[in-house]
Amino acid sequence: MTEKPVNRKGISKARARFIRESADVRRQALIEATARCLAEKGVAGTSVRAICARAGVSSGLLTHYFDGVDALILATYEDVGVRVSAALEQAVEEAGDDPRDQLRACLQANFRAPILDPDLLATWTAFWSLVRTDPGIAAIHADVYRRTRAQLEALLRAIVPEMPQDRARLAAISLTALVDGLWLEICLDPTTFSAEEAQAMVERAMMLALGQWRGDAGRGDWIDQSDKP
Amino acid sequence: MTEKPVNRKGISKARARFIRESADVRRQALIEATARCLAEKGVAGTSVRAICARAGVSSGLLTHYFDGVDALILATYEDVGVRVSAALEQAVEEAGDDPRDQLRACLQANFRAPILDPDLLATWTAFWSLVRTDPGIAAIHADVYRRTRAQLEALLRAIVPEMPQDRARLAAISLTALVDGLWLEICLDPTTFSAEEAQAMVERAMMLALGQWRGDAGRGDWIDQSDKP
DNA sequence: GGAACTGACAAGCCCATGGCTCTCATCAAC
DNA sequence: GTTGATGAGAGCCATGGGCTTGTCAGTTCC
């Protein structure tokens, strides 16, 4: 008595096979598909159907696991933010014990894979454009940047303990802004300057922030002075 | 024999009065409406109907004056870019004859009205998110940033003629990136630092780029040395 | 000064696409 | 085999962009 399933138009349909996955696997797949969509086609091209097609699932599944497409985008922002933080963290750990090396590594890692990636910037600009209108995105943004600055501030004060609190704060803000600006521009238009030049610029800014630069407008040499009075 | 105009449903319609405007006025009105839409509702909320409602015209007029909504967004980018450049140019002119004052004014004007404006950032992030996918936007972006850097480079070399070409180039890139990063962050989240602090940071970076800073990690005083050896 | 003309303009239709829901098939655990 | 959650897929309503049609405001020519 098993009759073939028939839709409203009377056409027999064969439902596709599928495998059951855990909620975590599905969520992660949807998040990664969203990031790829944002990167490749921008916010406008990031639709439920596009995301689900990339994730290889049907469109109904998005609503099943997330509270709509906006919630998925928010989850994607969180995930991407965590991965960037992890990449920076790893760079710091691989840099050894000298806080100066750690700071340099933390800054320069922004101009190497996986952070130096135009696709990642496309994802990020999509989020920036949502900060204004979406309080949830704004909250995550504030948190991500606060953590970044706090980390830089801690490294600065580890290197130069006598640096005043306020100066460390402003230095961390400046370095973050410089890195952001360089990263933005090199991802948007890689022909203007190279990743190596970007790394040199942030290293120079770092040294200047540490107050270990002597004005020699012509040569640009570094003055090594590891121990301070 | 004048019968009332009747639409397909047989309902008599009274066409709204309108006034004829010149093409320039209409184009400008549409461009400004687009900028406001981008600022308030992001790219997703910037539809033909939304733009035209803001401009106070019917939706058909957009196609009449522009080659679709994409072309209008592109024109808006051009217009906004020109206005920002004009604001910076004006700041330079009002700064007097000293190129040092001009450079400072050019940098610090980014943290005053009309450039320090979250709405403007929203517009700008919308454009950034389009650079990847739209070659027209990418070309305009490259041009705008090239001009900005060229201006900074010229000012730097006017202040310190003996500065090598490459160092001036990198300094201009760094200053642009710093300004962009600070401007981005202060517009996204004004609670992190103030406009005055941003101006102080760019002034400090400017002085450091000019090589007129002496390492005094603790105090942060300026060393005035207008004449160089 | 009025009639014909030109083109800016409004209104609304058409089709595509978007997000979401609803129904029901399918799989895995018991 | 039973069962219940996972998942597919069509459908629904809203919205979007572009186009077509027809009107009305200035202009021109007599």
Side-chain angles (χ1 to χ4, degrees), chain B residues 15-16 18 20-21 26 58 64-65:
Chain B
R15 191 164 287 242
F18 63 93
R20 281 172 108 84
E21 295 285 1
R26 287 293 188 208
S58 75
H64 186 75
Y65 280 112

Side-chain angles (χ1 to χ4, degrees), chain B residues 27 64 127:
Chain B
R27 282 174 195 272
H64 186 75
F127 293 136

Side-chain angles (χ1 to χ4, degrees), chain B residues 85 88 143-153 172 176:
Chain B
S85 295
L88 293 179
D143 192 55
V144 166
Y145 273 71
R146 189 185 48 70
R147 278 206 311 259
T148 304
R149 284 191 308 269
Q151 186 186 19
L152 287 187
E153 223 175 301
T176 305

Side-chain angles (χ1 to χ4, degrees), chain A residues 144-206:
Chain A
V144 167
Y145 273 71
R146 189 186 48 70
R147 278 207 310 260
T148 303
R149 284 191 307 269
Q151 186 186 19
L152 287 187
E153 223 173 301
L155 284 172
L156 284 168
R157 301 204 72 194
I159 300 169
V160 187
E162 64 270 29
M163 185 181 291
Q165 185 87 44
D166 192 60
R167 170 135 178 211
R169 174 179 156 265
L170 290 183
I173 291 172
S174 281
L175 286 173
T176 305
L178 176 65
V179 166
D180 267 8
L182 288 173
W183 180 73
L184 172 69
E185 181 58 17
I186 200 174
C187 286
L188 283 179
D189 181 5
T191 66
T192 303
F193 55 92
S194 69
E196 290 72 27
E197 287 175 323
Q199 292 181 333
M201 285 186 263
V202 293
E203 168 142 25
R204 182 184 157 121
M206 173 189 123

Side-chain angles (χ1 to χ4, degrees), chain B residues 110-111 115 120-121 124 179-187:
Chain B
N110 288 283
F111 303 101
I115 300 183
L120 184 62
L121 174 83
W124 218 256
V179 166
D180 267 8
L182 288 173
W183 179 72
L184 172 69
E185 180 59 19
I186 199 173
C187 286

Side-chain angles (χ1 to χ4, degrees), chain B residues 103 151-161 163 168 171-172 175 209-210:
Chain B
L103 177 58
Q151 186 186 19
L152 287 187
E153 223 175 301
L155 284 173
L156 284 168
R157 301 204 73 195
I159 300 169
V160 187
M163 185 182 292
L175 286 174
L210 294 173

Side-chain angles (χ1 to χ4, degrees), chain B residues 30-204:
Chain B
L30 285 168
I31 284 174
E32 281 167 16
T34 305
R36 286 207 304 276
C37 272
L38 285 173
E40 288 176 19
K41 301 188 284 183
V43 196
T46 303
S47 65
V48 171
R49 286 169 177 80
I51 294 169
C52 292
R54 273 190 181 281
V57 298
S58 75
S59 64
L61 209 65
L62 193 152
T63 320
H64 186 75
Y65 280 112
F66 293 92
D67 208 24
V69 72
D70 289 343
L72 174 54
I73 289 179
L74 201 144
T76 306
Y77 189 14
E78 260 183 317
D79 185 76
V80 170
V82 166
R83 269 189 291 167
V84 168
S85 295
L88 293 179
E89 200 69 43
Q90 189 190 343
V92 168
E93 281 176 14
E94 289 174 359
D97 291 333
D98 186 352
R100 186 180 307 256
D101 292 336
Q102 291 178 352
L103 177 58
R104 183 182 4 255
C106 179
L107 294 172
Q108 294 192 340
N110 288 283
F111 303 101
R112 274 198 305 271
I115 300 183
L116 180 61
D117 175 11
D119 285 352
L120 184 62
L121 174 83
T123 312
W124 218 256
T125 52
F127 293 136
W128 282 338
S129 66
L130 295 175
V131 168
R132 286 292 310 286
T133 50
D134 187 331
I137 296 273
I140 298 179
H141 166 83
D143 192 55
V144 166
Y145 273 71
R146 189 185 48 70
R147 278 206 311 259
T148 304
R149 284 191 308 269
Q151 186 186 19
L152 287 187
E153 223 175 301
L155 284 173
L156 284 168
R157 301 204 73 195
I159 300 169
V160 187
E162 63 270 31
M163 185 182 292
Q165 185 89 44
D166 192 61
R167 171 136 174 212
R169 173 177 156 265
L170 289 182
I173 291 172
S174 280
L175 286 174
T176 305
L178 176 65
V179 166
D180 267 8
L182 288 173
W183 179 72
L184 172 69
E185 180 59 19
I186 199 173
C187 286
L188 284 179
D189 181 5
T191 67
T192 302
F193 56 92
S194 69
E196 290 72 28
E197 286 174 323
Q199 292 181 334
M201 285 186 263
V202 292
E203 169 142 24
R204 181 183 156 119

